Amino acid sequence: MMEEQGLVYRLLKRAEIRRQIPGRRSVEQGETDRIADLLDEAAAEIERLQKQTQDLQALLSVK
């Protein structure tokens, strides 16, 4: 579950907002927004690293 104040949530929300701004050239031309794509990519990487950290912590607590 994403927290509203969490970094991942804010990155994803900002990407969503950028893609909906009608005056943006990429929106007008039907192209992808490269910055929004980077925001999504950063959010995904943070989530991956958070899960990896949780998995490692779980392994360490078992021993």
Side-chain angles (χ1 to χ4, degrees):
M1 183 172 145
M2 283 191 268
E3 297 177 23
E4 284 196 36
Q5 301 300 332
L7 178 59
V8 170
Y9 174 85
R10 293 189 332 246
L11 289 169
L12 293 172
K13 190 65 176 174
R14 185 65 186 122
E16 177 186 334
I17 290 168
R18 280 186 63 91
R19 288 188 177 103
Q20 294 176 359
I21 298 172
R24 296 200 51 77
R25 187 177 66 194
S26 60
V27 173
E28 290 174 354
Q29 296 177 354
E31 297 175 357
T32 61
D33 184 325
R34 293 181 309 204
I35 293 177
D37 290 347
L38 284 172
L39 292 168
D40 285 338
E41 187 179 335
E45 181 65 10
I46 290 168
E47 286 180 320
R48 185 188 70 77
L49 292 171
Q50 287 174 337
K51 181 172 181 349
Q52 185 178 27
T53 300
Q54 289 172 352
D55 292 347
L56 289 171
Q57 288 173 339
L59 279 173
L60 291 173
S61 67
V62 170
K63 293 183 179 184

